[in-house]
Amino acid sequence: MGLPLLLQPNYVFCSSNLSLLFPATRSHSPHPPSVPVAKSSHLFQHLNFPSQGWQRRHHHRVELRNKSRIRTITCSVKLDNGSATVKEKSVSVILLAGGKGKRMGASMPKQYLPLLGKPIALYSLYTFSSMKEVKEIIIVCDPSYEDIFEETKDKINVDLKFRLPGKERQDSVFSGFQAVDSNSELVCIHDSARPLVSSGDVEKVLKDGWHIGAAVLGVPVKATIKEANSQSFVARTLDRKTLWEMQTPQVIKPELLRKGFELVNREGLEVTDDVSIVEHLKHPVYITEGSYTNIKVTTPDDMLLAERILGINSGEPA
């Protein structure tokens, strides 16, 4: 029986030896730069990427343990997306707002609780709606909360669509995906419980997603992570320099997401985040380094932290 891994499913590790991968940067920063992640170590032998930007060097094999199964992933060091251009009105945003938020202990789902007087879900909606790349926002929510979003129509310059949530996250994403405009070049999936995502980080992950096909915001893990056995004894301590915590948005080209859903539905697979759907296709997923302030509000303590961050960003005393 395999050892259970005491990691949230949205952690990933990318290298077992930073001295091999990042010899020039290791002494200057405790965290590795963003790296693309793929499920197969043989992937790059069969894919042809554009000559500009994609640096196929310093590949290193590592192992990712998922419950009792070990998956091999491949890392590359550098991605230059300077030439990547995301067209205006070419992005469809799927805003997931159908969660129950039981951990908050409130009378309504957490994404609708007021944060400094405004529903949490509206913060990211306004961020996306102000971006020239975004053409539409597809809100996956219970119909009883649609009016919260409807009231914003006079303040934003993008189309709003509504879809019903599903039983699991992947079902809600699939529901939203059915409403994506056929001319969209990127699908940008975001959890509405992350109100503090910045437009700058969104722009970065959109460029990486356009260049690679799939990209996700993430931050290097700061805490010490240990793997434990079934009796809660420490089995080993993982090298945190190789661990990344996944965030949203997660950006995927529509054709990739469609193929991924076909595979997931055909084989009855369960995934814990959106880019995992693409990983099952053995396509590379790039980690775009984001910000630690892009927190997910799930508890009352998170709400207090979000209020402090907003206060600091607005110049008010914390």
Side-chain angles (χ1 to χ4, degrees):
M1 180 177 180
L3 300 178
L5 184 61
L6 292 188
L7 288 175
Q8 294 185 18
N10 58 348
Y11 284 111
V12 65
F13 51 104
C14 303
S15 162
S16 61
N17 192 334
L18 287 183
S19 65
L20 294 178
L21 281 174
F22 312 114
T25 60
R26 191 181 183 201
S27 61
H28 301 291
S29 172
H31 303 307
S34 302
V35 289
V37 179
K39 185 178 173 183
S40 170
S41 62
H42 305 293
L43 176 64
F44 294 93
Q45 300 174 13
H46 306 293
L47 291 178
N48 293 318
F49 291 94
S51 57
Q52 290 185 347
W54 186 268
Q55 306 285 333
R56 296 181 54 200
R57 58 182 179 177
H58 302 301
H59 289 180
H60 193 67
R61 292 186 54 169
V62 298
E63 293 181 334
L64 175 62
R65 182 178 298 274
N66 182 7
K67 295 183 180 179
S68 61
R69 193 179 67 194
I70 294 177
R71 294 188 294 165
T72 301
I73 60 178
T74 298
C75 297
S76 279
V77 174
K78 186 178 179 182
L79 174 69
D80 175 14
N81 67 8
S83 60
T85 302
V86 180
K87 298 177 184 176
E88 291 188 16
K89 300 294 183 182
S90 66
V91 177
S92 293
V93 174
I94 298 177
L95 188 63
L96 300 175
K100 302 298 183 183
K102 295 179 181 178
R103 280 177 288 179
M104 185 65 75
S107 59
M108 66 174 66
K110 59 183 181 291
Q111 60 269 25
Y112 303 117
L113 293 174
L115 175 60
L116 296 183
K118 184 165 63 179
I120 288 174
L122 293 189
Y123 281 86
S124 57
L125 178 119
Y126 284 129
T127 297
F128 288 117
S129 66
S130 67
M131 301 182 66
K132 66 181 185 300
E133 297 89 350
V134 175
K135 70 183 302 183
E136 63 180 3
I137 301 176
I138 300 154
I139 301 162
V140 182
C141 71
D142 187 283
S144 61
Y145 293 101
E146 286 184 7
D147 60 318
I148 293 176
F149 302 99
E150 290 278 7
E151 293 173 359
T152 69
K153 283 188 172 181
D154 294 336
K155 305 175 185 178
I156 62 177
N157 192 31
V158 298
D159 295 331
L160 290 186
K161 299 177 181 178
F162 294 94
R163 295 288 294 182
L164 293 174
K167 182 179 179 181
E168 304 293 342
R169 178 191 177 90
Q170 67 192 67
D171 302 320
S172 294
V173 174
F174 183 77
S175 177
F177 185 48
Q178 305 313 300
V180 166
D181 188 283
S182 60
N183 294 318
S184 291
E185 297 182 1
L186 289 174
V187 178
C188 176
I189 305 161
H190 187 65
D191 191 332
S192 64
R194 292 186 184 270
L196 306 180
V197 65
S198 70
S199 57
D201 283 347
V202 175
E203 288 176 1
K204 288 194 301 181
V205 74
L206 286 177
K207 283 186 177 182
D208 290 342
W210 185 89
H211 195 76
I212 299 300
V216 53
L217 279 184
V219 290
V221 170
K222 294 188 287 186
T224 297
I225 307 295
K226 294 183 182 291
E227 183 178 323
N229 63 20
S230 57
Q231 288 79 42
S232 295
F233 287 100
V234 172
R236 63 172 176 149
T237 301
L238 302 178
D239 183 357
R240 66 184 175 189
K241 292 191 295 294
T242 68
L243 296 170
W244 291 73
E245 180 182 355
M246 298 296 96
Q247 300 179 341
T248 66
Q250 304 193 5
V251 178
I252 307 170
K253 288 189 174 180
E255 58 269 26
L256 269 179
L257 189 56
R258 185 174 297 106
K259 292 177 181 178
F261 268 124
E262 289 173 357
L263 176 64
V264 166
N265 293 334
R266 183 170 64 248
E267 299 189 7
L269 303 173
E270 292 185 6
V271 295
T272 55
D273 71 348
D274 314 309
V275 292
S276 296
I277 297 172
V278 177
E279 289 176 43
H280 283 292
L281 294 174
K282 298 181 173 61
H283 189 282
V285 176
Y286 193 83
I287 302 175
T288 303
E289 185 161 0
S291 304
Y292 289 101
T293 53
N294 183 20
I295 64 171
K296 185 174 182 179
V297 179
T298 58
T299 67
D301 287 342
D302 296 331
M303 182 74 81
L304 293 174
L305 178 57
E307 290 176 353
R308 287 180 62 86
I309 294 171
L310 286 172
I312 292 171
N313 289 345
S314 65
E316 298 175 0

